[in-house]
Amino acid sequence: LHKEYRRQRQMCIRDRDIAHCEKLKELPSNTCKLKVSGAFSLNGCTSLEKFWELPGGIGKLDLSHTRIQVLPTSSMRCLLCLTKLKLSHSMNIASLLPRICELKSLEKLDLTRCSELEVVPSSIYELTNIKTLSFSYCRKLRKFPQPTGSVGFLSLEVLNLHGSGILEIPEGVICSTSLRVLDLGGTEIRRIPLSIKQVSQLSRLCLSWCKSLRSLPELPMVRRLHADGCESLNTVLSSRTAIT
């Protein structure tokens, strides 16, 4: 692998796939001289624990099913073009670095089933181009950070927290008018922020099996509302027109 990197370090290639190299423990340094204009996949490299740099120019990065604990800050300068970052099933990730806000081009962040993830930094709101966020089945993630301003995400379209440990969502996090899908199914959420009324583009709201949810605030006109299994739900403030 080291010889292959040295041979291609001055080259620019479209995609790079090193998926399922189960014995790969780390990437060689100085790989930023290798340019990858498309996707770079390390999915299934179950022994991979660390890297210092990544090829420059990557558009999509897949680090699913690896053992990395955190994205090293030294790699951030190589990821300025990154639009999609997948870290699903990365069991050792406990937190996201505050410097994740440097990934200004990022549109999709997938942390599905990162079972040790507990902390999301407030700098995540500085990802101004983010459209899809998935924290589904992150059981240790109990809360979202409070936005520093009145509004959290500006461009967010899909927020998936299905099966996570979320207890509450601060006001301002989901008031983006661009939000289309909000999935809180199977969480321990107790209340829905009143600001949800402002989400005029919301088409799907999933609250299935939110057993601690007691009431629903006034909602925008959603196309699909799933609230089956909400055993404690006894108050719905939304108008019949909105639910229809």
Side-chain angles (χ1 to χ4, degrees):
L1 182 62
H2 283 261
K3 290 181 180 179
E4 178 70 5
Y5 263 89
R6 284 197 295 269
R7 185 178 71 83
Q8 296 189 4
R9 62 194 295 180
Q10 299 293 344
M11 297 176 61
C12 180
I13 57 180
R14 180 73 178 90
D15 299 305
R16 185 67 168 161
D17 191 343
I18 315 179
H20 303 290
C21 294
E22 297 179 358
K23 295 185 179 181
L24 180 66
K25 291 187 176 181
E26 62 179 288
L27 293 181
S29 61
N30 206 30
T31 58
C32 275
K33 293 184 179 180
L34 172 66
K35 303 295 182 182
V36 178
S37 60
F40 188 74
S41 177
L42 291 157
N43 180 17
C45 295
T46 52
S47 299
L48 182 66
E49 296 181 349
K50 60 182 178 180
F51 55 84
W52 305 112
E53 293 175 321
L54 287 170
I58 299 174
K60 303 175 184 178
L61 177 61
D62 191 348
L63 294 168
S64 303
H65 298 272
T66 62
R67 295 176 60 85
I68 65 169
Q69 295 183 1
V70 70
L71 281 176
T73 55
S74 58
S75 70
M76 294 299 182
R77 62 189 176 91
C78 303
L79 301 175
L80 298 180
C81 299
L82 193 67
T83 59
K84 296 182 180 180
L85 175 57
K86 192 171 184 179
L87 293 158
S88 61
H89 295 83
S90 296
M91 303 301 183
N92 288 350
I93 291 183
S95 64
L96 290 177
L97 283 177
R99 285 188 63 182
I100 195 170
C101 64
E102 295 180 19
L103 305 179
K104 297 298 185 183
S105 299
L106 197 63
E107 296 179 1
K108 183 175 182 178
L109 176 59
D110 186 355
L111 289 143
T112 299
R113 293 188 185 275
C114 289
S115 56
E116 295 301 312
L117 183 69
E118 294 185 64
V119 180
V120 177
S122 58
S123 60
I124 196 171
Y125 298 120
E126 296 178 38
L127 296 174
T128 53
N129 287 310
I130 198 75
K131 290 180 172 61
T132 301
L133 274 175
S134 179
F135 294 95
S136 60
Y137 295 101
C138 294
R139 298 289 189 184
K140 291 189 177 181
L141 183 63
R142 311 296 282 177
K143 62 180 181 178
F144 250 77
Q146 184 73 40
T148 51
S150 58
V151 178
F153 301 107
L154 298 176
S155 304
L156 192 63
E157 296 179 1
V158 178
L159 179 57
N160 186 355
L161 293 164
H162 191 100
S164 69
I166 287 291
L167 296 173
E168 62 178 336
I169 298 179
E171 292 287 345
V173 172
I174 58 170
C175 64
S176 170
T177 55
S178 60
L179 190 66
R180 296 183 293 103
V181 177
L182 176 61
D183 192 339
L184 297 168
T187 65
E188 299 176 43
I189 193 134
R190 298 164 184 169
R191 59 178 294 273
I192 306 298
L194 298 177
S195 56
I196 195 172
K197 182 183 177 182
Q198 304 171 29
V199 189
S200 57
Q201 299 299 313
L202 190 65
S203 61
R204 180 173 179 263
L205 175 60
C206 181
L207 301 168
S208 300
W209 300 100
C210 292
K211 296 184 179 181
S212 299
L213 184 65
R214 295 183 177 275
S215 65
L216 275 181
E218 188 170 353
L219 300 174
M221 293 186 66
V222 294
R223 292 183 181 179
R224 298 170 64 187
L225 172 62
H226 304 269
D228 51 305
C230 295
E231 299 174 353
S232 302
L233 183 63
N234 54 37
T235 304
V236 179
L237 297 179
S238 287
S239 66
R240 182 176 298 178
T241 304
I243 294 177
T244 301

